[in-house]
Amino acid sequence: MVCPGFQTKDDVYCFSLAKALYNASTPVTVGFYAPWGRRKDILLNKIETYLYEESWKKERAEVLNSGLKTRKTSGKDLLTLLFLLVFHNPVITEKHKQRKNIRFVVIRFSAWEFAGSDQLWAGLVTTLCDGIENYFGLAPISVYRAVGRKTKIFDGMYQQEWVSKKFLCIPLWLATLFVILVGITVGALIMIFGFPVGDLSGDLLSAAEGVGATVVGISAAGAIRIAIVVMRNAVVTQKGKVQQKMNRTDMSSQLGFMNDVKREVKIITRYIQLIEVFQRQKIRVVLEITNLDKCMPDKIVGVLNAMNILLSDPNAPFISILAVDPSIIVDCVESSQMLKGIANNGYQFLNRIISLPFSIPKMDCCTKINVLRHIIENRQEIASDVEDGEMPLNVEVVPNEKDQLLRNRSNNKNEYGFINVPLREMSCDDLNPSNSSLADKGPKTKALIEEAFQHLFDESMKEYLTDNVVHIRRVVNSITITIRLMIRKVPRNVINPQKVAKWVILVTQWPCRLSWVLQCIEDEQQRRCLESPGSQSGSYSNISLWEVFEKSLEELDAIKSSLKNLLELDGDPEIFHQLLRDNFKVEDVDFLLPSTVNLDYSIKRKMELLRGSNNLWENKKSNRLTMLSLLSMSVSEVCEEMKKLGFADKNLTRYRDLIKSHNLNGRALVYSDNSEIKEVLGMGLGDWTLFSVYFLGVLPPPVVPTSAPVISTQDAQKHIRSKDNLLQESKLNLYISKEDLA
């Protein structure tokens, strides 16, 4: 097979990793690192495809060189495998070690599915057992579990790949055949001469029948035991056994459970080695561990320990791929109580487990376009007349209050229990509560949505799209809903699909900064409305959103410590600057925000609370300046505000001169240390209290003594005695006061 061409950078990376895994010695653990939403599943599927293609090419080459085809575990080959399992031991020959054809068994373990289990790491083993049974079949592994204790794997001792098991220095298959022949002979004699009864002494025939029956009986008992074990393994799989032990909570059972799990991994390892010899190829089990970064810290540590302990057998044919966000795993390891004092550095702990780190690269433009095209093409868009605002002749609508009251009395119901209302009986409000007259103006809804999608493929939009697949899918879905909402509120010919696409991207990728801008706009509009009721704010509507953001940037910087978690949600600030500056004004917010559904308004609410707490003392009674007003003050304005604090004239003149000489404007007061400001101005306690409350918004910190006075033992005893006397006097005074009151 010709190696496929590489269309994107992702294909190159996945192909390179697949080639490395094909030639890597096992066991190996790959750290497949990528933040959340960075297409880990997509890339894992590509890696699987390249592994299968490479395996297919190597298998063809091996068949051509050796002339021996690989065997399967079904059909006639299954009977051969069962015979070899029972009567032969496999041999790992030098010829087998030099084979280049490798079969990959891919098993994906989603840790989130086992998050409710007390032993999440045990779910890793159950998934491994279940995957092996499903791939190779239940019958071979059931037989192997029954006879595996007597099956030995020889390494390079013989030239042939299978050697017969021995029973009394006789090949087991020959001994079994002899027993079968003896059983047939004894059965024939019994049928001819009858079962011996009575005195058997001197009767050679009866003695032979007895000995034969004993040999056959013992052999049959062993065969029956093995058959029962095989049937039990087929009915109750190893996955079911492990799950039963997982549900036990006593500590003694857990200790035994760990040993059982380790033994199970060894059984799987030996079984795969046996299958390798039978199929004339090497086998690698690729265990993909996903969604681990969604679990609790202690359970994450348990899975990592399981990978480190259970899958670290030097003969284990396992390739473990840990697809996680490393930052989350490191935080969970460092916060886990199970590793206190052992893994204080999460990165070092992870490096001890991972033998091949692989960080997923950022998307290039071609990959973004391919992912975007794939998401859009897979959308299940129902092209009907209803979506374009045209109602069919018979429409089923949700009944109003009157219809609900009469529902039980009406016989004119559809299969859903709704009343069928003819079109002529429906008003415009039933069809479109907001503005039905807008439905037939302008282009079709589907055309508007497709135009918005096409704009996403524009060259200028590539840098705005993130490399997060989940965000791209959110953008596509949000564009559809936003346009459908807008056509019910505004005429279609005023809808700009390109601006809608950019707005949806802005809301999706910068929710924190955009919420801050929206809150600043809302506060400014409220302020203008209170100052000039009924006036038009046309000049403010033409201001770009970047000007609004830039004006409030210092205020945002001052409170960014309270928004640390929210700011982490945003994308690249430089791209935000470019997108906000060139495309949107305040009037666009008033137009687009009512139809925006992908904005989390709880973020905007937090902005509202933060700005409200900073502006809470804005009125004169509060005797305090807001941070926003202080940042815009010049030196002369600060000096004018000093007059409001009621300082003595002499002190006021001195303070103002110092402010001018040190150039203490509003920005300098905000970003300077309070102790330095106090030292420069040389204020007393009372004046500093007034100044810090009004300008800085905080009270001076309490004075803490630098050193405690040293008290001798005699002074301490005197102090204790004086304290006791004081208590007695206070009690005496209390009694006297009670007597006086009596």
Side-chain angles (χ1 to χ4, degrees):
M1 177 181 290
V2 179
C3 185
F6 301 128
Q7 298 180 355
T8 63
K9 186 172 66 174
D10 285 352
D11 295 333
V12 179
Y13 276 82
C14 293
F15 178 78
S16 301
L17 179 59
K19 291 286 289 185
L21 294 180
Y22 193 93
N23 299 312
S25 58
T26 56
V28 59
T29 303
V30 181
F32 202 67
Y33 295 150
W36 169 82
R38 293 307 195 276
R39 69 202 186 280
K40 289 191 288 287
D41 291 337
I42 297 176
L43 297 185
L44 286 175
N45 293 334
K46 287 188 176 183
I47 293 172
E48 294 175 15
T49 301
Y50 287 126
L51 286 175
Y52 292 148
E53 290 178 354
E54 187 70 15
S55 176
W56 187 81
K57 289 191 299 182
K58 296 293 185 180
E59 183 176 344
R60 287 191 60 185
E62 184 68 23
V63 171
L64 292 176
N65 293 332
S66 63
L68 299 175
K69 294 183 179 180
T70 57
R71 294 170 175 170
K72 300 180 181 179
T73 56
S74 60
K76 296 180 180 179
D77 291 338
L78 177 61
L79 298 178
T80 305
L81 174 60
L82 296 179
F83 176 80
L84 293 174
L85 283 174
V86 176
F87 298 107
H88 290 77
N89 291 318
V91 180
I92 301 177
T93 61
E94 292 296 329
K95 181 180 179 180
H96 176 75
K97 294 179 181 180
Q98 295 175 0
R99 283 171 176 161
K100 301 297 183 182
N101 55 329
I102 301 176
R103 175 66 58 87
F104 290 93
V105 181
V106 179
I107 301 173
R108 185 166 295 187
F109 169 70
S110 179
W112 181 248
E113 297 178 3
F114 296 86
S117 174
D118 293 335
Q119 293 85 26
L120 176 61
W121 61 271
L124 179 68
V125 180
T126 60
T127 304
L128 179 63
C129 297
D130 194 41
I132 296 297
E133 291 175 355
N134 293 335
Y135 190 86
F136 295 107
L138 186 59
I141 195 170
S142 299
V143 173
Y144 179 76
R145 294 184 192 279
V147 301
R149 294 182 179 179
K150 299 181 179 180
T151 300
K152 299 179 181 180
I153 299 178
F154 300 102
D155 189 358
M157 297 177 61
Y158 303 93
Q159 295 295 327
Q160 65 272 23
E161 293 183 339
W162 296 91
V163 294
S164 178
K165 296 178 182 179
K166 302 293 184 177
F167 178 75
L168 299 177
C169 298
I170 303 174
L172 182 61
W173 65 270
L174 184 60
T176 304
L177 181 62
F178 174 75
V179 171
I180 293 174
L181 293 176
V182 170
I184 294 174
T185 303
V186 171
L189 292 175
I190 292 176
M191 292 179 63
I192 296 173
F193 299 101
F195 194 81
V197 179
D199 187 11
L200 301 180
S201 58
D203 193 344
L204 182 61
L205 179 62
S206 298
E209 290 181 353
V211 172
T214 302
V215 172
V216 172
I218 295 175
S219 302
I224 292 173
R225 184 187 68 82
I226 294 176
I228 293 175
V229 173
V230 171
M231 294 178 61
R232 185 185 63 186
N233 292 333
V235 175
V236 182
T237 62
Q238 194 66 16
K239 176 182 177 181
K241 295 179 181 178
V242 175
Q243 288 179 342
Q244 290 178 359
K245 294 183 179 181
M246 285 172 60
N247 297 328
R248 300 176 62 181
T249 57
D250 56 292
M251 181 57 66
S252 60
S253 66
Q254 295 304 320
L255 296 176
F257 175 50
M258 175 67 75
N259 293 328
D260 291 341
V261 170
K262 291 181 179 180
R263 184 167 57 251
E264 178 62 27
V265 173
K266 291 182 179 180
I267 291 175
I268 292 176
T269 300
R270 292 170 58 85
Y271 174 71
I272 292 176
Q273 291 176 345
L274 186 147
I275 295 295
E276 283 183 348
V277 177
F278 172 75
Q279 292 189 339
R280 304 190 183 104
Q281 64 182 355
K282 295 181 180 179
I283 297 175
R284 298 290 181 265
V285 179
V286 181
L287 187 59
E288 300 174 348
I289 302 173
T290 61
N291 297 324
L292 184 62
D293 42 16
K294 297 181 180 179
C295 303
M296 301 298 291
D298 290 339
K299 294 184 178 181
I300 291 176
V301 173
V303 173
L304 296 178
N305 287 330
M307 294 175 58
N308 197 26
I309 297 174
L310 302 178
L311 305 181
S312 60
D313 186 355
N315 297 321
F318 297 119
I319 298 176
S320 305
I321 301 180
L322 183 63
V324 293
D325 184 348
S327 61
I328 297 178
I329 299 299
V330 167
D331 291 341
C332 292
V333 168
E334 293 177 352
S335 62
S336 175
Q337 298 296 327
M338 298 173 60
L339 298 176
K340 286 296 183 182
I342 302 176
N344 295 328
N345 190 328
Y347 288 101
Q348 291 182 354
F349 180 81
L350 204 58
N351 289 335
R352 288 196 294 265
I353 299 176
I354 302 300
S355 53
L356 177 58
F358 184 85
S359 296
I360 297 178
K362 289 187 176 181
M363 278 189 189
D364 58 349
C365 293
C366 294
T367 306
K368 289 182 182 179
I369 295 302
N370 290 339
V371 171
L372 180 62
R373 183 178 290 108
H374 177 76
I375 293 174
I376 293 177
E377 290 177 353
N378 288 346
R379 292 180 62 255
Q380 299 294 330
E381 187 68 30
I382 302 175
S384 63
D385 295 335
V386 179
E387 73 172 4
D388 293 323
E390 300 176 5
M391 303 301 295
L393 294 178
N394 292 319
V395 181
E396 296 176 356
V397 297
V398 179
N400 54 28
E401 184 178 359
K402 180 179 178 180
D403 293 334
Q404 290 177 357
L405 294 175
L406 299 177
R407 171 179 285 179
N408 295 330
R409 303 179 185 179
S410 176
N411 295 324
N412 186 23
K413 298 180 181 178
N414 57 25
E415 58 180 337
Y416 302 105
F418 294 161
I419 300 175
N420 292 322
V421 183
L423 182 62
R424 62 179 180 272
E425 297 180 7
M426 298 172 61
S427 63
C428 293
D429 294 336
D430 295 327
L431 294 176
N432 189 355
S434 58
N435 192 353
S436 63
S437 62
L438 302 174
D440 56 350
K441 295 181 180 180
K444 300 284 188 179
T445 306
K446 187 176 181 181
L448 292 173
I449 295 175
E450 290 180 352
E451 184 178 351
F453 287 161
Q454 288 301 321
H455 184 61
L456 295 177
F457 293 98
D458 192 76
E459 190 70 24
S460 61
M461 295 294 293
K462 292 180 180 179
E463 60 181 359
Y464 297 148
L465 287 175
T466 179
D467 59 345
N468 191 313
V469 179
V470 178
H471 284 177
I472 296 177
R473 186 176 289 109
R474 287 178 180 177
V475 168
V476 172
N477 295 331
S478 299
I479 287 176
T480 304
I481 300 176
T482 302
I483 292 180
R484 292 187 183 280
L485 290 175
M486 293 179 68
I487 63 174
R488 302 300 179 182
K489 299 179 181 180
V490 298
R492 301 188 186 204
N493 52 9
V494 301
I495 298 176
N496 187 347
Q498 298 179 0
K499 183 161 288 189
V500 171
K502 292 180 179 179
W503 174 258
V504 170
I505 292 176
L506 182 65
V507 175
T508 302
Q509 296 183 204
W510 294 277
C512 180
R513 286 175 172 83
L514 181 60
S515 297
W516 174 262
V517 173
L518 296 179
Q519 188 57 43
C520 292
I521 293 174
E522 181 180 326
D523 293 342
E524 180 64 19
Q525 289 176 341
Q526 291 176 353
R527 186 187 66 80
R528 289 172 178 255
C529 182
L530 293 175
E531 291 179 354
S532 302
S535 63
Q536 300 293 332
S537 58
S539 59
Y540 186 69
S541 298
N542 294 324
I543 297 177
S544 67
L545 296 190
W546 176 251
E547 293 182 22
V548 177
F549 181 73
E550 193 174 26
K551 183 180 179 181
S552 61
L553 187 57
E554 289 183 307
E555 183 183 1
L556 177 62
D557 183 69
I559 62 173
K560 65 181 179 181
S561 58
S562 302
L563 301 174
K564 180 180 179 181
N565 293 335
L566 296 180
L567 287 172
E568 292 178 354
L569 301 175
D570 289 353
D572 191 342
E574 295 180 357
I575 300 179
F576 171 76
H577 168 219
Q578 184 176 353
L579 183 60
L580 201 66
R581 180 191 59 191
D582 301 333
N583 297 284
F584 299 103
K585 297 180 180 180
V586 174
E587 60 183 2
D588 296 325
V589 173
D590 299 333
F591 180 77
L592 294 169
L593 189 59
S595 302
T596 302
V597 295
N598 57 326
L599 178 64
D600 188 353
Y601 285 92
S602 64
I603 300 178
K604 182 175 175 295
R605 173 60 177 169
K606 189 164 186 178
M607 306 295 178
E608 180 182 355
L609 295 175
L610 287 174
R611 293 204 86 207
S613 63
N614 289 334
N615 298 331
L616 188 62
W617 303 94
E618 188 173 5
N619 52 35
K620 294 182 179 179
K621 293 182 180 180
S622 67
N623 199 26
R624 176 181 174 183
L625 291 175
T626 63
M627 184 180 299
L628 181 61
S629 58
L630 182 60
L631 285 169
S632 60
M633 282 187 178
S634 62
V635 176
S636 59
E637 290 175 341
V638 172
C639 294
E640 288 297 324
E641 290 293 329
M642 294 282 288
K643 296 179 181 180
K644 301 179 181 180
L645 300 182
F647 294 142
D649 294 339
K650 181 179 179 181
N651 292 338
L652 178 60
T653 303
R654 181 167 61 87
Y655 296 154
R656 294 176 65 179
D657 293 340
L658 291 172
I659 289 174
K660 293 178 181 179
S661 62
H662 289 86
N663 193 25
L664 293 179
N665 55 14
R667 182 176 287 102
L669 292 176
V670 170
Y671 292 107
S672 298
D673 187 76
N674 292 354
S675 60
E676 295 178 354
I677 298 175
K678 181 180 179 182
E679 182 179 356
V680 166
L681 297 179
M683 289 184 174
L685 179 60
D687 290 350
W688 171 248
T689 302
L690 295 175
F691 179 86
S692 61
V693 170
Y694 185 75
F695 282 95
L696 307 179
V698 293
L699 293 174
V703 179
V704 180
T706 57
S707 61
V710 180
I711 303 176
S712 62
T713 307
Q714 296 180 354
D715 294 338
Q717 293 176 354
K718 292 180 180 179
H719 177 71
I720 295 173
R721 287 196 297 267
S722 62
K723 185 176 180 180
D724 294 338
N725 295 334
L726 180 62
L727 290 174
Q728 293 177 359
E729 292 178 359
S730 63
K731 293 179 181 179
L732 181 61
N733 293 335
L734 182 62
Y735 296 150
I736 294 175
S737 61
K738 287 183 178 180
E739 293 176 356
D740 294 339
L741 290 175

